[in-house]
Amino acid sequence: MKLDFSCLKCGSSSYEVKNVVLPEKKEGIIGLEFGVYYFKVCLNCGFTEIYSAKIADKNEKVTFEY
């Protein structure tokens, strides 16, 4: 995952990335699926950007330990 650029709000380059699994409802499908997202949190001002793991990691396989 390449999210190494500065904060859009304050310009700080210090941040933390959190992996989050959220339920998603797909149209025409009964039930829920789960999608993986990256939350990039600026350690200076708290501004948060959200990225879909499917798009951010196009050629990388995403695995999580529970």
Side-chain angles (χ1 to χ4, degrees):
M1 173 182 54
K2 297 180 182 178
L3 299 177
D4 54 344
F5 46 88
S6 61
C7 175
L8 295 174
K9 185 174 180 184
C10 72
S12 174
S13 61
S14 60
Y15 62 89
E16 179 177 65
V17 176
K18 299 182 181 259
N19 299 328
V20 180
V21 178
L22 297 173
E24 300 176 337
K25 184 177 178 186
K26 302 289 182 179
E27 189 174 328
I29 299 175
I30 297 175
L32 294 175
E33 293 183 2
F34 293 93
V36 179
Y37 294 87
Y38 298 127
F39 281 36
K40 183 180 131 187
V41 182
C42 176
L43 297 177
N44 185 46
C45 69
F47 181 75
T48 303
E49 300 174 26
I50 303 171
Y51 297 90
S52 171
K54 292 177 187 176
I55 296 171
D57 297 331
K58 286 185 180 180
N59 295 323
E60 297 179 27
K61 186 174 183 180
V62 178
T63 58
F64 291 95
E65 296 179 17
Y66 295 101

